[in-house]
Amino acid sequence: TRRTAMQDPIFHVAFAVDDLATARDFYLSTLGCKERADTSGKGYAVINFFGAQMVLIEAPDEVEPSKADPSVEPYKHFGLIMDWEDWNDLADELRAKNVDFRIAPNVKDHPHIGTVGNMFVADPAGNYLEFKSYKDKSKVL
């Protein structure tokens, strides 16, 4: 039998942070996400990460710093593919907040998928986030 997701599936991710208050502040203040305070609890927070459900779990012993060469895209990361205008707006907002980019906002033309913008930031626990946009959305999947 083939299993399918909901009609409009919602992505869910959970990961460890070393300091919940600091991580919460980053996602809420820096990125502009919203918290589901009614479902958050002691030692964890449920965040609406641009329409995906993110759970931050305070577990300092589980935080794993990246060992990847800082000049390349981090191997362990998760991200979001955004509309072109929203991606540009977020890049401008993060620059205005002097966010330290792992890879600064950039736009490249690829032979088979066209124009793609991407940028990487790390949350305070060192979890890497990629924000990406395709001018031609048909090339995403």
Side-chain angles (χ1 to χ4, degrees):
T1 335
R2 181 173 175 223
R3 293 190 175 128
T4 59
M6 297 170 34
Q7 178 66 29
D8 294 316
I10 298 171
F11 184 74
H12 163 83
V13 63
F15 55 89
V17 297
D18 50 3
D19 182 303
L20 184 59
T22 303
R24 179 186 278 129
D25 183 62
F26 173 80
Y27 286 97
L28 303 182
S29 299
T30 303
L31 295 182
C33 299
K34 304 287 183 223
E35 181 176 4
R36 276 292 309 266
D38 60 332
T39 58
S40 293
K42 183 175 168 63
Y44 69 96
V46 179
I47 305 292
N48 179 336
F49 182 73
F50 301 89
Q53 184 190 69
M54 172 188 289
V55 181
L56 308 174
I57 303 166
E58 191 166 45
D61 294 342
E62 295 296 318
V63 172
E64 297 179 32
S66 175
K67 297 175 187 136
D69 178 341
S71 67
V72 299
E73 293 182 356
Y75 306 119
K76 289 175 49 175
H77 68 274
F78 66 95
L80 182 69
I81 299 174
M82 308 175 76
D83 286 327
W84 192 255
E85 315 282 321
D86 292 340
W87 180 86
N88 281 286
D89 290 346
L90 180 62
D92 290 343
E93 289 172 25
L94 296 179
R95 282 187 196 107
K97 292 178 180 178
N98 294 313
V99 167
D100 185 22
F101 291 98
R102 166 71 180 256
I103 295 177
N106 65 88
V107 176
K108 294 179 183 155
D109 288 312
H110 299 275
H112 302 290
I113 57 175
T115 305
V116 178
N118 87 327
M119 60 183 141
F120 279 84
V121 299
D123 73 8
N127 297 300
Y128 284 102
L129 315 168
E130 179 180 19
F131 295 94
K132 182 180 232 182
S133 186
Y134 292 73
K135 272 220 169 167
D136 181 353
K137 290 182 193 176
S138 74
K139 303 295 183 179
V140 173
L141 297 174

